[in-house]
Amino acid sequence: MSKSANAAVAQQYEKWVYPFPIQDLSTPEVRAKWDGGDYERNWLTFFPNKEFRNDIDVLVAGCGSNAAARYAFNHPPARVTGIDLSATSLAHENFLKEKHGLNNLSLHQMRIEEVASLGKTFDFIDCSGVLHHLPDPVAGLRALGSVLKPEGTIAIMVYGQYGRTGVYMLQEMFRLMGLGQSEEDVAMVKQTLAALPKSHAVQGYVERSRDTKYDAGLVDSFLHRQDRAYTVQQCVDFAKDAGLSFMHWWDNILYYPEGQLNMDHPFYRKVNTMPDSDIWQFMELYNGTLGQHGFCVCRPDRPESGYRADFSGDAFMNYIPVSRCREVPRRTDRPGVIGVKREPHPVYNLDEASAKLFRQIDGKKTIRECFAASELTGDAVEQCRAAFRHLWRLSYIFVKLP
Ligand SMILES: C[S@@+](CC[C@H](N)C(=O)[O-])C[C@H]1O[C@@H](n2cnc3c(N)ncnc32)[C@H](O)[C@@H]1O
């Protein structure tokens, strides 16, 4: 593949630095807002069968203006490498490196497709919002797989197709108008957005997305020269086509019915009889607004038992649940029911048995031990399956695998 295939994308990110450059990584607001790819907060998503370690090799592939410095700042023992096409973005990463004295950060202007030339391998690769801009995304992901350590994880975010329907309509409109990426063109985008019918398919995206609030974000959304989007099945196939294994989604709540359908409805029971991959597709179509998909992939030789949570047999009784949510006061006349909440999601009710099990979660006890300590009686496996699978599908717990 020629370098010129990336040239239009490089030119865009040279001029329209993305995302909005952070000036100081130490402020509480900047620190609080970071979750998606933070391997410490999400360790059990990326490495469900390993104890947390901070001294790992991290690659931030297509790091943009902030992400590599952010990893290096938040994880001093980690060795962080940032690569990007855009010299302007790397200059800002370098500004942050110098400002915060980040000796654990190295930066390189290069294409993802050439990453093997660094001669390094990585435990964790963050590639967020990048692969959908490559001329050949599969070749890019394959290149990342070639520098992944055997037990490593790649965390990927790509655009979701249905939530961006309106974005692609506008991209087409602006193409017909002959817009490029100049300041005047961005002004025209703003005027057009202000004049669109309130019922237009893009309005939900305009409201939800941070990218519609500043110029480089508007260019990224509506005047991009190269982007594509994926359905959930295409994400799974994408991993396979690059010779890698699809592990799971970052946030199960978006892909399972528990957080979105009424569980007393026959509709819910019907969806729940489907295989997992059909449930994900169904929920994507039901939700209708997913504009991004976050998921992780690994090498095919990494043993599946080390990352795949499976609630179908009874081996899950040896998993260790770790809470990601908090109990909140709940006004209900049903005895023993409690509410649980994880930001930014709603409060969900747990019935009496699930509440008793939830209260035993301490990050040390296995599910079997939680049941024994709960003083519940009856079928341990069925009660635990119902409670812990439910919490895991909500992403309100992690599970530590043996
Ligand atoms: C949307 S930004 C995402 C930045 C960062 N990952 C984040 O989440 O904040 C996409 C970045 O990918 C870079 N990029 C696009 N194609 C690339 C390629 N083939 N190799 C390396 N970087 C690339 C762009 O220059 C841009 O900085």
Side-chain angles (χ1 to χ4, degrees):
M1 187 202 329
S2 73
K3 287 188 183 179
S4 60
N6 286 301
V9 176
Q11 214 177 20
Q12 172 182 326
Y13 289 108
E14 292 292 356
K15 178 169 161 74
W16 298 101
V17 174
Y18 184 98
F20 198 79
I22 295 172
Q23 297 304 321
D24 186 343
L25 294 168
S26 65
T27 66
E29 310 82 72
V30 169
R31 300 189 82 148
K33 268 199 195 134
W34 201 44
D35 187 357
D38 180 19
Y39 65 77
E40 184 168 6
R41 290 188 215 180
N42 298 288
W43 182 261
L44 290 172
T45 301
F46 304 135
F47 302 102
N49 67 337
K50 293 193 190 310
E51 288 306 320
F52 175 67
R53 275 179 45 205
N54 222 345
D55 61 330
I56 62 172
D57 289 293
V58 177
L59 172 68
V60 191
C63 55
S65 37
N66 306 316
R70 215 166 187 184
Y71 274 105
F73 178 80
N74 285 295
H75 302 292
R79 297 165 293 276
V80 180
T81 304
I83 64 170
D84 204 287
L85 284 177
S86 157
T88 330
S89 298
L90 288 168
H92 190 75
E93 293 272 6
N94 201 48
F95 158 79
L96 291 169
K97 173 177 170 158
E98 283 174 9
K99 176 178 178 111
H100 296 290
L102 304 174
N103 297 326
N104 58 340
L105 174 61
S106 61
L107 298 165
H108 305 267
Q109 185 176 11
M110 64 164 23
R111 302 185 308 143
I112 284 177
E113 295 87 333
E114 296 164 337
V115 64
S117 67
L118 286 173
K120 287 189 194 171
T121 56
F122 301 92
D123 300 285
F124 180 67
I125 300 178
D126 174 313
C127 191
S128 178
V130 184
L131 291 168
H132 46 229
H133 295 313
L134 267 53
D136 181 349
V138 171
L141 183 54
R142 195 173 288 124
L144 293 178
S146 76
V147 295
L148 188 65
K149 292 189 187 181
E151 295 277 310
T153 298
I154 308 181
I156 298 172
M157 186 282 277
V158 289
Y159 291 145
Q161 184 170 300
Y162 300 114
R164 288 176 61 85
T165 303
V167 173
Y168 292 116
M169 292 166 77
L170 262 70
Q171 284 192 6
E172 192 54 32
M173 270 171 54
F174 295 134
R175 221 168 281 139
L176 289 169
M177 289 166 79
L179 297 198
Q181 297 185 328
S182 68
E183 280 75 7
E184 297 76 52
D185 296 332
V186 175
M188 180 64 84
V189 169
K190 290 181 189 164
Q191 287 162 21
T192 309
L193 286 177
L196 276 181
K198 291 285 164 266
S199 55
H200 193 281
V202 83
Q203 295 291 12
Y205 173 86
V206 171
E207 226 168 87
R208 283 190 307 276
S209 173
R210 273 176 301 192
D211 288 347
T212 52
K213 316 292 182 289
Y214 66 106
D215 289 359
L218 288 170
V219 172
D220 210 59
S221 294
F222 300 117
L223 300 175
H224 211 290
R225 295 195 169 120
Q226 186 161 273
D227 89 52
R228 56 153 299 178
Y230 293 77
T231 63
V232 293
Q233 190 54 45
Q234 287 168 347
C235 291
V236 175
D237 294 342
F238 183 25
K240 199 161 131 219
D241 293 346
L244 297 165
S245 296
F246 180 90
M247 294 168 65
H248 40 238
W249 308 104
W250 293 356
D251 225 352
N252 282 337
I253 193 167
L254 303 173
Y255 301 96
Y256 284 100
E258 280 72 3
Q260 299 182 62
L261 306 186
N262 177 349
M263 290 171 68
D264 295 326
H265 201 284
F267 184 28
Y268 167 77
R269 289 195 288 278
K270 178 94 184 145
V271 174
N272 243 348
T273 61
M274 298 176 184
D276 261 21
S277 59
D278 287 0
I279 295 182
W280 302 338
Q281 289 182 55
F282 179 93
M283 290 312 299
E284 176 180 41
L285 293 165
Y286 174 83
N287 181 301
T289 59
L290 296 183
Q292 303 182 345
H293 295 301
F295 57 100
C296 8
V297 305
C298 64
R299 283 173 44 158
D301 49 348
R302 180 164 162 192
E304 207 176 320
S305 58
Y307 61 82
R308 174 99 53 238
D310 178 4
F311 288 90
S312 62
D314 60 7
F316 76 88
M317 293 295 280
N318 296 321
Y319 298 171
I320 297 175
V322 177
S323 179
R324 306 175 70 177
C325 61
R326 64 197 158 85
E327 189 175 329
V328 291
R330 199 75 185 137
R331 250 192 264 144
T332 161
D333 39 16
R334 285 158 59 204
V337 170
I338 61 167
V340 285
K341 175 159 177 69
R342 178 167 84 93
E343 299 304 339
H345 301 295
V347 174
Y348 291 102
N349 279 346
L350 299 182
D351 64 20
E352 189 175 6
S354 301
K356 285 186 173 160
L357 291 169
F358 175 77
R359 286 191 169 145
Q360 292 303 326
I361 295 176
D362 60 5
K364 296 190 187 79
K365 289 203 276 294
T366 63
I367 290 182
R368 192 184 307 285
E369 289 162 347
C370 288
F371 185 84
S374 72
E375 296 172 356
L376 286 168
T377 55
D379 188 331
V381 173
E382 285 318 316
Q383 289 181 77
C384 288
R385 192 188 332 273
F388 288 102
R389 190 184 74 161
H390 179 64
L391 285 163
W392 179 79
R393 284 182 165 194
L394 288 177
S395 317
Y396 278 34
I397 56 169
F398 293 113
V399 287
K400 244 191 223 175
L401 304 186

